[in-house]
Amino acid sequence: MDKKLKQVLHDVYRVPAPTKKAAFLKQHRRLELGRRDLIVIQAGYICWWIWAASLGVFGLILWIAYQTRGWGWWTTAAFTPFLALLAVTQNGRSRFYNMDELELVCRIPRRSAILTRMVVLGVFHLVLLAGLTPPLSMWGAAGVIQTGVYLLTPYLLTAAMGMELSRRIRGRECLLACGSAAMLVSIIGTLLANQHPVLYYRENLPMWLWLLAAAIITTGWEITINLREAEEIQWN
């Protein structure tokens, strides 16, 4: 187009300067969510039965530890995988029901929402495990660190296995697979505690510390992969 013609059109159809633009945008400005608001909102999305079941597992472990104090309290560590199963079930609920695409249209980025729910439920479970450590340590005549390692290791192993399975298996079958993984870790822990109790003696604590370190690294890696894949759309 001729430059002169373009200039004429520009003069004729000159766009007027915006008036009250700042006031208009201020009226329709979307409020930003703070960290506290994000935590409260995402905590509300966690099913009530997850909280109730977590407290139920906590009470069951405490009751069994009291009944078996002095001779078999370490078998209670075999129940911590079911706490991890609850966490994996909650965090992968949208994948289990093939509804994860809907989370992409939410106001909050899906990665932030998933990470927040992981942190909220993980901290809650850590508080429960921390509450179990002193009485179990007292009833079992073991150190606090030793007891904490026995409780945390199967929890993290189950969490890592569950997150790996939830990435590879879709739909309701994933629930069965994650439940089977938790059951497997629990059975192995029970068998070790009853048939090889020497593994839970203080002299074998370094072995447990190495196993705990491997579980922490594996769980962290699985969380990283899950957050990386959180923004990907997987169409059926």
Side-chain angles (χ1 to χ4, degrees):
M1 184 182 294
D2 184 73
K3 291 184 178 181
K4 185 176 181 181
L5 180 58
K6 290 177 63 177
Q7 184 62 38
V8 171
L9 292 175
H10 182 269
D11 294 338
V12 172
Y13 299 101
R14 184 183 299 274
V15 179
T19 58
K20 299 182 179 180
K21 177 182 177 180
F24 175 79
L25 294 177
K26 188 176 182 180
Q27 290 178 352
H28 300 277
R29 184 175 298 170
R30 188 172 60 181
L31 296 177
E32 297 296 332
L33 289 176
R35 292 182 180 179
R36 182 178 302 178
D37 297 329
L38 178 61
I39 292 174
V40 172
I41 291 174
Q42 293 305 312
Y45 280 105
I46 298 176
C47 296
W48 67 269
W49 63 267
I50 294 289
W51 303 104
S54 298
L55 293 174
V57 173
F58 170 82
L60 179 63
I61 293 176
L62 200 61
W63 180 79
I64 294 177
Y66 179 77
Q67 297 296 324
T68 60
R69 60 191 184 279
W71 57 274
W73 64 270
W74 50 73
T75 58
T76 57
F79 289 90
T80 58
F82 298 103
L83 275 179
L85 176 62
L86 293 173
V88 172
T89 301
Q90 173 59 43
N91 292 327
R93 188 172 56 170
S94 59
R95 282 188 174 184
F96 296 156
Y97 297 102
N98 295 317
M99 300 293 287
D100 45 345
E101 292 89 355
L102 293 179
E103 291 186 343
L104 296 174
V105 301
C106 296
R107 173 184 174 186
I108 302 173
R110 185 165 182 259
R111 181 180 300 179
S112 300
I114 292 177
L115 179 60
T116 303
R117 290 196 293 266
M118 282 184 177
V119 171
V120 169
L121 200 53
V123 170
F124 178 65
H125 285 170
L126 288 179
V127 170
L128 293 182
L129 294 177
L132 288 171
T133 301
L136 266 62
S137 175
M138 179 180 62
W139 295 334
V144 174
I145 296 178
Q146 184 179 359
T147 304
V149 170
Y150 293 159
L151 292 175
L152 195 57
T153 300
Y155 177 88
L156 292 177
L157 286 175
T158 306
M161 293 173 63
M163 285 187 286
E164 176 69 19
L165 291 172
S166 64
R167 291 193 302 105
R168 297 183 179 276
I169 304 176
R170 307 282 295 180
R172 302 293 182 89
E173 293 80 7
C174 187
L175 288 173
L176 180 60
C178 293
S180 300
M183 186 67 68
L184 176 63
V185 175
S186 178
I187 292 174
I188 292 176
T190 303
L191 292 177
L192 289 178
N194 287 279
Q195 298 184 9
H196 304 282
V198 67
L199 295 175
Y200 291 84
Y201 291 175
R202 185 182 298 274
E203 53 267 23
N204 290 318
L205 182 59
M207 177 195 69
W208 283 94
L209 290 174
W210 280 108
L211 186 60
L212 176 61
I216 292 174
I217 294 173
T218 305
T219 304
W221 175 253
E222 288 294 334
I223 291 175
T224 302
I225 295 177
N226 275 269
L227 294 178
R228 188 180 302 166
E229 294 181 352
E231 303 298 332
E232 296 181 1
I233 301 179
Q234 299 177 1
W235 298 100
N236 294 328

